[in-house]
Amino acid sequence: MTQKTRLRQELKRQRRRESKALKALLIIAIALAAVYVAGCVYFSSHFYGGGTVFGVAIRFQTVETVKEQVKEKVGEYSLVITTRDGEETITAEQVGLDYDDQGEIDALLEDQHTALWFLMFATTQSDQEIAVAADDSLVASTVRALSCMQEENMTAPTDTCLVYEDGIYIIQEETYGNQLEYDTVYPVISDAIYSGETEISLEELSCYVAPAVYQDTEELVAECEDLNQLIDIEITYDFSDRTMVVDGDVIAEWILFGDDFTYEIDEDAVADWVYQMAYQTDTFGLSRTFTTTGGSTISLKGGDYGWCINRDSTTAELLELLAAGESVTVEPVYRYSGICRDTNDIGDSYVEISISAQTMWVYSEGQCVISTPVVTGNSSRGYDTPSGGVWAVDARITDYTLSGQDYNSEVSYWLPFNGNVGIHDATWRSEFGGSIYKTNGSHGCVNTPLSAMKTVYEYVQIGWPVVVY
């Protein structure tokens, strides 16, 4: 075979191969065209998108089948509500929920570009909202009927606050409780139902009533620090053999808390405390017991000796001391004061006069410095010397003239203790003691021998208690 013949044969084979390829391509093109046309026809009534309607996948489905499934799913709808105490559920039946066809699904198909159906697997679409209808009155009553909405199941939140505990103020943590309000919960649940949500958390949606003040509030922390400085002081009232102390425990009872992290001292409470202190420690005009020289214990009441706190002035001073914020030891402000501030305020320096024994004793720092007979008031004429109480020496006078309706007497020493009644020397008398006082006694004074009176005057000072019984 010649070279020329071989070339002719090869050319024929090439032409046959090209013809077959063209036929194959034509067949494929016809097939693809057929498939495309079929797809256009199919997706003119079916969805190719990858989205959902009310949770129903729509791809490859017709409008009618999607609607049927949506209606069925709406009927099966339930909303799970997570609360602080657990979970509760609301069903479609409870609220009369139903599909409200407003043409959204039809419009979704109409908006579909049928010619682009072949790109369906690359097509995505978010969940399409649809209209649902519910009976609002049923929604409202169902919300109100929830267990979490019952008053007896709710605990209100509490604000953080300052409490006094173990000698200091501490910030007590707030509590959150589980209190809900209908006006807050209803719109949240209603919106969830109409939007087709299946789960909501009342916590995450901030439905719970919250505390107004939290433990990290700067103003509260500052207030706590200020109060702890205040209660750290001690104001001690000294009563010689005992004390009364205003400390943190006492001050804490006087704190009045106001708005906006403010506080103040309750002045009425302070005044009450001072009143109680006075009630426990005042002796002026009150009953007291006394052990006589003879060893008997008697009860005394009356007289002008003793201690009496000026309550108003002491309260005002105490408030000033609290404001100063320093620990101090002080005495109350007194309206009347004595010589000894012990519980036994007669102390160990006093004058003792016994009417029945017609004797006077003077004690200085517990030692009897003189014992002397005396003559007291004339009982037959009604000039009895006041007795049964304790009086204070009002003055110390020498070379004094005693005068009255029917007398005018010069004395060397005069110690008055009850108005015009006092202790003095009586040089006009030659005898003392016994029963002289019954018929020939004084006008009420305590007549004393001059020699004894000199010693009495030497020791007795203004304010000394005079016990007469």
Side-chain angles (χ1 to χ4, degrees), residues 162 169 219-233 251-267 322-325:
L162 298 180
Y169 275 97
E219 296 87 345
L220 184 69
V221 173
E223 183 184 22
C224 185
E225 292 175 354
D226 290 344
L227 280 171
N228 280 325
Q229 288 183 355
L230 174 61
I231 64 172
D232 193 44
I233 67 173
I251 297 172
E253 295 180 354
W254 298 344
I255 301 300
L256 293 177
F257 291 98
D259 298 328
D260 300 325
F261 311 103
T262 60
Y263 67 89
E264 61 181 355
I265 300 293
D266 186 346
E267 296 186 7
L322 290 169

Side-chain angles (χ1 to χ4, degrees), residues 299-320:
S299 178
L300 302 170
K301 184 175 182 180
D304 63 0
Y305 176 81
W307 300 81
C308 180
I309 292 175
N310 187 320
R311 298 171 184 174
D312 291 341
S313 297
T314 300
T315 298
E317 184 181 70
L318 177 52
L319 289 169
E320 292 175 359

Side-chain angles (χ1 to χ4, degrees), residues 157-160 174-176 209-217 220 261:
T158 60
D159 293 344
T160 186
E174 66 276 3
T175 64
Y176 290 86
V209 177
V213 183
Y214 296 84
Q215 60 180 324
D216 58 353
T217 302
L220 184 69
F261 311 103

Side-chain angles (χ1 to χ4, degrees), residues 131-163:
V132 293
D135 187 327
D136 289 338
S137 63
L138 286 178
V139 174
S141 62
T142 302
V143 171
R144 292 186 186 278
L146 291 172
S147 177
C148 63
M149 295 300 297
Q150 305 313 303
E151 198 71 31
E152 63 270 18
N153 296 332
M154 294 187 196
T155 301
T158 60
D159 293 344
T160 186
C161 62
L162 298 180
V163 295

Side-chain angles (χ1 to χ4, degrees), residues 360-363 367-372 451-453 455-456 459:
M360 177 171 65
W361 299 268
V362 175
Y363 286 86
Q367 299 296 318
C368 181
V369 295
I370 189 169
S371 173
T372 178
S451 58
M453 190 62 207
T455 302
V456 172
Y459 280 96

Side-chain angles (χ1 to χ4, degrees), residues 28-58:
I28 291 171
I30 293 171
L32 288 175
V35 170
Y36 174 73
V37 171
C40 289
V41 173
Y42 180 80
F43 288 113
S44 65
S45 60
H46 292 73
F47 292 102
Y48 61 69
T52 59
V53 175
F54 201 75
V56 174
I58 63 174

Side-chain angles (χ1 to χ4, degrees), residues 395-401 411-416 425 453 457:
R396 297 175 75 251
I397 304 173
T398 59
D399 300 326
Y400 187 72
T401 300
V411 299
S412 297
Y413 305 99
W414 171 235
L415 298 173
D425 50 285
M453 190 62 207
Y457 189 85

